[in-house]
């Protein structure tokens, strides 16, 4: 179980034992912030560093990355070569140096 420190007092339900805060703040992360996070991810900045710089929770960021990864195709598409490989007439293939 993860413990999040938000600076707000948490309460415990006596009936079910669930924890909650009195006035939760659910802020929506806007599109420019999401694009900035995408750029940081492409730059391979650590998740903790991104969360600190953009001021989002690490759990939200992990969920966002997981969602983005699920949307990414897992198989690369390969197209035809732009031009065929041409070998000059009369040339014999040679092994690279060090291989015989």
């Amino acid at each position: 179980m993860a413990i999040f420190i938000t600076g707000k007092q948490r309460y415990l339900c006596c009936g079910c034992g669930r924890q909650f805060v009195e006035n939760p703040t659910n802020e929506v992360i806007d599109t420019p912030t999401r694009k900035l996070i995408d750029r940081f991810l492409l730059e391979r900045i650590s998740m903790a560093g991104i969360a600190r710089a953009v001021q989002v929770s690490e759990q939200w960021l992990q969920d966002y990355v997981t969602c983005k990864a699920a949307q990414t195709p897992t198989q690369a598409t390969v197209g035809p070569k732009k031009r065929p490989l041409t070998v000059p007439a009369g040339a014999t293939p040679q092994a690279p140096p060090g291989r015989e």
Side-chain angles (χ1 to χ4, degrees):
M1 176 189 279
I3 297 175
F4 300 103
I5 299 172
T6 60
K8 294 186 176 189
Q9 181 176 359
R10 291 184 293 174
Y11 298 95
L12 184 66
C13 177
C14 295
C16 64
R18 183 180 171 121
Q19 293 181 356
F20 62 95
V21 294
E22 189 171 6
N23 295 315
T25 57
N26 293 331
E27 297 180 17
V28 178
I29 310 299
D30 57 349
T31 305
T33 304
R34 290 174 190 251
K35 288 183 179 182
L36 181 62
I37 290 170
D38 291 340
R39 287 180 38 212
F40 283 158
L41 290 169
L42 288 174
E43 291 292 331
R44 300 180 58 98
I45 296 175
S46 70
M47 299 273 284
I50 294 172
R52 279 192 309 269
V54 184
Q55 295 180 347
V56 296
S57 70
E58 289 186 38
Q59 184 60 52
W60 180 89
L61 183 59
Q62 182 62 57
D63 293 341
Y64 178 73
V65 170
T66 303
C67 181
K68 293 289 272 188
Q71 296 172 357
T72 305
T74 57
Q75 186 172 1
T77 56
V78 180
K81 292 184 177 183
K82 293 182 180 177
R83 59 182 179 176
L85 179 63
T86 57
V87 178
T92 57
Q94 296 178 351
R99 293 188 180 179
E100 295 180 21

